[in-house]
C-alpha cells in the first residue's frame, strides 16, 4: 500500500509539472507573486495568440450581431496576429480581472483600454502606448454634474471595479459613495435606470456613451491627470514585450492607429478627437 501511495504521489507530481510546462514559463512579479506566461517563440510555435479584450465596450471592444469581435482594440489585435503569423484567440475580459488573466497565463496580451498607472506597472509590464485618455464624468441632462467639489452626500457615483476611476475617487474623493459594477454593460444599465447621480470612467467611454444615448451630458470631460492606454503582458515576458514595442514603432511609421481610429471610432467621435486621442509609434506629446 505504501508503494502504491508513493507511485500515485509521483504520478500526481509529474502531472502538475506537465500542466505548468503546458502553460509556459513561470516567473515572479515585483511583489513576489508567481506569474505564468508564454514566450514569443512559444506563441509562434503554438500558432495562436490569446488576447484579452472587452466584449461589451463599443466602440473599443465588443461582440457584434454576428458574434464577431469588433472595435479599436480588436482592430489592433488582428494586426498583431497577422504580423506574428498566428491566429488570434479573443478572450473576453472585465476590468477587474485583466491583471489576473495575465498572471495566470489565460491571455498573452491585454488590449482592453488598459490605462498605464504606477500601481499596475508593479504587477504587469506595459508596452508603448497607443492612445491618450483621462477620466470623465457623465450625468443626465436633467442634472448635469460639472464638479465633484460640492457632491451631495446622498448621491452615489457609478464606477466599474478595477478601473482607474474607482482608484482615483477612493484616493481623492473618499466621501463620495461608489456604486460598483463588474462590467461596462451593468454600469451602463445602472446609469440608464437612474441608479446613480453620475458615472465616472475613461473620458473616451463616457463621451461615447453620451453621444450614443440621448439625454446625457459629459459635464466633466477631464478629471485628474492625463494618462495613456497601452498593451500589457505578464511581468518578465521580455521577448513578447520587446516584439510589441518594435511592432508599435513600426505601425506608427504607417500611421496605423489613425487608420484604426478612422475604421472604428470616427462614427462615434468624429474627426475632431482623432489627433488628441491617437498615439502613433508610442510617442506622446
Amino acid at each position: 500500500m505504501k508503494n502504491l501511495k508513493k507511485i500515485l504521489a509521483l504520478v500526481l507530481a509529474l502531472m502538475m509539472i506537465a500542466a505548468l510546462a503546458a502553460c509556459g514559463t513561470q516567473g515572479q512579479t515585483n511583489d513576489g507573486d508567481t506569474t505564468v506566461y508564454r514566450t514569443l517563440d512559444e506563441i509562434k510555435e503554438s500558432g495562436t495568440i490569446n488576447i484579452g479584450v472587452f466584449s461589451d465596450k463599443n466602440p473599443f471592444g465588443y461582440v457584434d450581431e454576428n458574434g464577431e469581435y469588433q472595435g479599436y482594440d480588436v482592430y489592433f489585435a488582428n494586426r498583431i496576429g497577422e504580423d506574428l503569423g498566428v491566429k488570434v484567440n479573443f478572450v473576453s475580459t472585465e476590468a477587474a480581472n485583466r491583471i489576473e488573466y495575465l498572471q495566470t497565463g489565460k491571455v498573452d496580451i491585454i488590449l482592453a483600454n488598459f490605462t498605464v498607472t504606477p500601481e499596475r506597472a508593479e504587477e504587469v509590464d506595459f508596452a508603448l502606448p497607443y492612445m491618450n485618455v483621462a477620466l470623465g464624468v457623465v450625468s443626465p441632462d436633467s442634472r448635469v454634474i460639472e464638479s465633484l467639489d460640492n457632491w451631495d452626500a446622498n448621491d452615489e457615483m457609478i464606477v466599474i471595479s478595477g478601473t482607474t476611476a474607482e482608484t482615483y475617487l477612493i484616493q481623492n474623493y473618499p466621501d463620495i459613495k461608489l456604486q460598483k459594477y463588474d462590467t461596462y454593460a451593468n454600469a451602463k444599465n445602472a446609469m440608464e435606470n437612474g441608479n446613480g447621480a453620475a458615472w465616472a470612467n475613461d473620458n473616451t467611454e463616457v463621451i461615447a456613451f453620451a453621444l450614443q444615448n440621448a439625454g446625457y451630458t459629459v459635464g466633466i470631460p477631464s478629471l485628474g491627470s492625463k494618462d495613456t492606454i497601452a498593451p500589457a503582458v505578464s511581468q518578465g515576458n521580455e521577448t513578447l514585450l520587446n516584439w510589441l514595442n518594435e511592432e508599435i514603432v513600426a505601425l506608427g511609421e504607417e500611421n496605423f492607429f489613425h487608420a484604426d481610429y478612422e475604421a472604428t471610432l470616427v462614427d462615434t467621435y468624429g474627426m475632431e478627437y482623432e489627433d488628441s486621442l491617437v498615439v502613433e509609434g508610442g510617442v506622446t506629446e
Side-chain angles (χ1 to χ4, degrees):
M1 180 64 70
K2 289 183 178 180
N3 288 336
L4 178 60
K5 288 183 177 179
K6 289 181 178 179
I7 292 172
L8 290 173
L10 178 60
V11 170
L12 181 59
L14 290 172
M15 289 175 64
M16 291 178 66
I17 292 171
L20 288 171
C23 291
T25 303
Q26 278 192 289
Q28 284 190 326
T29 67
N30 290 335
D31 296 330
D33 295 329
T34 300
T35 185
V36 178
Y37 58 81
R38 298 192 302 165
T39 64
L40 183 65
D41 286 342
E42 288 170 336
I43 292 168
K44 288 181 177 179
E45 289 171 6
S46 75
T48 301
I49 187 167
N50 302 313
I51 300 183
V53 296
F54 287 126
S55 60
D56 61 354
K57 283 191 178 180
N58 186 352
F60 298 97
Y62 65 99
V63 176
D64 66 16
E65 62 276 9
N66 297 316
E68 300 291 331
Y69 280 91
Q70 305 289 350
Y72 186 75
D73 290 337
V74 174
Y75 190 101
F76 180 24
N78 282 326
R79 179 60 182 268
I80 288 173
E82 178 184 334
D83 290 348
L84 267 179
V86 299
K87 178 183 176 182
V88 177
N89 174 43
F90 289 108
V91 179
S92 178
T93 186
E94 298 171 1
N97 61 25
R98 289 175 292 194
I99 292 175
E100 174 195 341
Y101 276 21
L102 283 174
Q103 292 181 342
T104 58
K106 189 168 185 177
V107 299
D108 301 303
I109 300 172
I110 283 289
L111 286 181
N113 283 103
F114 211 10
T115 304
V116 179
T117 68
E119 295 79 14
R120 289 172 175 168
E122 290 294 318
E123 300 186 83
V124 302
D125 284 343
F126 284 105
L128 293 171
Y130 61 97
M131 194 171 194
N132 290 311
V133 71
L135 296 178
V137 177
V138 62
S139 48
D141 288 347
S142 58
R143 186 184 170 206
V144 177
I145 303 296
E146 297 181 337
S147 173
L148 300 184
D149 294 333
N150 298 309
W151 187 264
D152 189 323
N154 296 315
D155 289 334
E156 294 187 359
M157 177 74 78
I158 295 170
V159 296
I160 300 174
S161 298
T163 60
T164 49
E166 177 191 22
T167 302
Y168 177 84
L169 290 170
I170 290 173
Q171 293 177 346
N172 295 278
Y173 293 91
D175 294 332
I176 293 181
K177 297 177 183 177
L178 301 182
Q179 197 175 124
K180 302 179 183 181
Y181 295 91
D182 290 332
T183 68
Y184 180 89
N186 288 339
K188 177 177 180 291
N189 289 336
M191 185 80 268
E192 293 174 338
N193 293 330
N195 293 340
W199 176 15
N201 208 343
D202 287 354
N203 63 352
T204 52
E205 293 166 10
V206 295
I207 290 170
F209 175 82
L211 290 172
Q212 294 170 349
N213 298 272
Y216 296 92
T217 296
V218 179
I220 306 177
S222 184
L223 181 68
S225 61
K226 291 184 178 180
D227 297 305
T228 56
I229 299 291
V233 302
S234 293
Q235 204 162 69
N237 194 352
E238 293 183 5
T239 57
L240 183 56
L241 180 66
N242 292 339
W243 183 90
L244 266 176
N245 284 334
E246 292 172 1
E247 174 78 347
I248 290 169
V249 171
L251 291 177
E253 294 176 357
E254 62 180 73
N255 282 328
F256 169 83
F257 292 102
H258 279 80
D260 187 350
Y261 180 99
E262 291 167 16
T264 62
L265 301 186
V266 73
D267 288 345
T268 299
Y269 297 106
M271 296 298 292
E272 64 177 300
Y273 288 102
E274 182 172 6
D275 289 334
S276 63
L277 292 178
V278 172
V279 174
E280 286 288 4
V283 180
T284 58
E285 293 183 357

